[in-house]
Amino acid sequence: MIIKDPEVAKLLADDTRRRILHMLRHKELSPADLAKALDKNYSSIQHHLNQLIQAGLIQQTREERVRNMIQPYYHATAHRYLVSYSLTENLQRDDEYAQYQEATLQKMFKGLKAFDINAPEDKRA
């Protein structure tokens, strides 16, 4: 899925939402499952889930009765999410997104070193 909406792209700047998306790309989980796996409280996870649902990045797949409660389960709407290049340039003005993008690029440079590819510092920009 190519993300073209800047507000949706900004959601990916949050580490918790990225981790939730990553987990939901692989299997469906309930908010309780996510809260336990991410060591976060239930209400925080529910807040992030609501944002991801509104953005169309995840969807409810089913409900299950657990004791006397109905437990919803969610799954990602795509296996991969890419931010449109045209958005990336505009989002550079957003500090939170810029920090996320810089951290992602640094991880990529570290990954390249595993293949004996070294990008010189002066060429990385």
Side-chain angles (χ1 to χ4, degrees):
M1 170 186 280
I2 297 176
I3 298 170
K4 297 179 181 178
D5 181 344
E7 295 305 313
V8 173
K10 286 180 186 179
L11 292 176
L12 300 179
D14 183 84
D15 184 58
T16 300
R17 284 189 288 270
R18 284 194 315 272
R19 292 173 66 196
I20 289 171
L21 265 179
H22 176 74
M23 293 173 74
L24 293 178
R25 283 179 24 229
H26 299 286
K27 65 180 182 177
E28 64 178 18
L29 296 165
S30 71
D33 296 332
L34 290 163
K36 185 176 179 180
L38 298 173
D39 195 27
K40 302 276 185 187
N41 66 45
Y42 184 89
S43 61
S44 172
I45 293 298
Q46 194 60 56
H47 170 74
H48 290 297
L49 288 173
N50 288 336
Q51 290 181 314
L52 294 170
I53 290 167
Q54 287 178 344
L57 300 177
I58 66 170
Q59 63 186 6
Q60 183 176 332
T61 53
R62 66 185 173 98
E63 291 181 338
E64 187 176 291
R65 181 176 288 279
V66 178
R67 297 181 198 91
N68 288 332
M69 295 174 45
I70 301 294
Q71 186 74 278
Y73 284 79
Y74 299 95
H75 200 274
T77 57
H79 185 68
R80 175 178 276 165
Y81 300 95
L82 302 171
V83 177
S84 171
Y85 180 75
S86 61
L87 278 184
T88 303
E89 290 179 345
N90 291 330
L91 288 171
Q92 284 298 334
R93 295 182 207 116
D94 183 281
D95 288 338
E96 189 177 8
Y97 186 82
Q99 289 173 3
Y100 155 68
Q101 188 176 34
E102 179 63 27
T104 300
L105 289 172
Q106 292 306 319
K107 287 179 188 176
M108 288 172 49
F109 286 128
K110 285 182 182 179
L112 288 172
K113 286 181 182 180
F115 297 100
D116 286 332
I117 300 171
N118 191 14
E121 291 289 331
D122 61 329
K123 303 284 185 189
R124 289 183 181 191

